[in-house]
Amino acid sequence: MRTQLRIPAALAAAALALTGLTACGGSSSGASDDAKDGKVKIMVGGLDKVIYLPARLTQQLGYFKAEGLDVTLLTEPAGVQATTSLISGDVQGVVGFYDHTLDLQAKGKQVESVVQLAQTPGEVEVVSNKAAGELTSPKDFKGKKLGVTGLGSSTDFLTKYLAVKNGVKTEEFTPVAVGAGQTFLSALEQGSIQGGMTTDPTVAQVVNKKIGKVLVDMRTPEGSKEALGGLYPSSSLYMNTDWVNSHKDTVQKLANAFVKTLKWMSAHTPEEIAAKMPADYAQGGKELYAQAIKDTLPMFTKDGVMPADGPDTVQRVLKAFNPNLKNASLDLTKTYTTEFVKK
C-alpha cells in the first residue's frame, strides 16, 4: 500500500545541518537497495501544490502500479528541504524545481532531471491589498518583506531574480519563509509580509478571499517569457545521476508513468483532473480548486521533454543573483536527460 508521509521541518533542518549541501558529501547509495523490488521513495516539495500535481495524479491513476512500482510519496513544504532528503539518501527522487540541479552542480553534487514536468515556474508574485498602493511592480521590492516557501527555495531564487532584474539589490529587501497555503495566507493577511511568491491553490485563495492580487504571473509560457526572458523549466523528477545510471530499468518505469499522466492531463478538463485528486486538496472548495488547476495547466509539458532553450534561461536567471553560480562553469547537459522520456 502506497502512503503519503510528512517529514517534520525540524528533521529536515537537522538533515540540512548534517549534509550542509557541500561538495564533500557522498551519494545516495544507502537508499539504492530499495529499488530492487520496485520500491521507490519520492519527496515532493508540497504534494498539494498544483505545480506538483502530476506526482499525486500518477499515483491516483494507478500508473506507478501498472509499471510494477511501489512508490511512496512524501511531502515537504519547500523544495530546498526535499533536495536535502535526496542528498542525504533518504529518498531516491524529488519532484521539485529543475533549478536545484544547477545549484547542486556548483556545490559538487551531480543531480539530473529525468522527467521535465513543466516548462514555466507556475509561480505568482502576489501583493496584499494593504500594500498594493506602494508595491506595484518588482521595482518596489526595496524595503519590503516578501514571502517565499523557504530560504534557498525556488521561490526565493525567483524573487531575487525579479528584484535584481528591476534594479533592487538582494540585500535591499527581506525574504520571509512562510511556506504555502494557510501559513502564507495568514502572513499576507496579518501584514508580516507585504507580498510574496506562491502557487495554486494558494493564489486562487488569495484572490477569492480578496486579501491580495496578482503582481507577476508566471503560470503561462507568455508570463514566463515576460518576467524571465524565456521558458523556465521548473517542476521535474530529479535524481542523483549515479543512482539513475545504476537503476535505469526503474527510472524508465517512472518516466513511463509520468509521461502517461502528462498525456492524460492534456486530454482532460480541469474538473476531470480535480475529481481524481484527494478531496482535502480542494481546501477552498471544488470549484476554486478546478479554477486553480485551469490557471496552472499551461505550465505543464505534454511529453516530459526538456524545452530546448530552458536550461540556458535557468542558468542566466540564477547567475544574475547567486554568488555561488556567478563565476561557476556549469555543464548544463549533465543537469537533465531526455533518454527515458523519449523512449
Side-chain angles (χ1 to χ4, degrees), residues 98 101 111-114 116 306-308 311 332-338:
Y98 162 71
T101 68
V111 172
E112 63 188 15
S113 163
V114 294
Q116 196 54 49
M306 174 68 74
L332 294 179
T333 63
K334 291 182 177 176
T335 59
Y336 70 96
T337 177
T338 57

Side-chain angles (χ1 to χ4, degrees), residues 2 58 62-70:
R2 293 174 301 284
T58 303
Y63 290 162
F64 289 136
K65 198 173 182 182
E67 291 289 334
L69 298 172
D70 181 6

Side-chain angles (χ1 to χ4, degrees), residues 104-176:
L104 288 167
Q105 191 183 109
K107 293 169 180 168
K109 301 285 184 185
Q110 203 51 62
V111 172
E112 63 188 15
S113 163
V114 294
V115 184
Q116 196 54 49
L117 303 170
Q119 59 186 341
T120 76
E123 301 282 355
V124 177
E125 183 72 26
V126 299
V127 58
S128 72
N129 287 339
K130 295 172 192 170
E134 54 179 326
L135 183 49
T136 60
S137 83
K139 290 177 182 175
D140 302 322
F141 280 1
K142 190 173 180 177
K144 303 294 188 292
K145 290 182 179 176
L146 302 172
V148 296
T149 50
L151 301 180
S153 65
S154 297
T155 50
D156 190 21
F157 291 166
L158 289 167
T159 303
K160 284 174 175 164
Y161 176 73
L162 290 178
V164 170
K165 184 191 175 191
N166 289 277
V168 180
K169 294 175 184 173
T170 56
E171 63 269 21
E172 290 181 323
F173 71 93
T174 308
V176 183

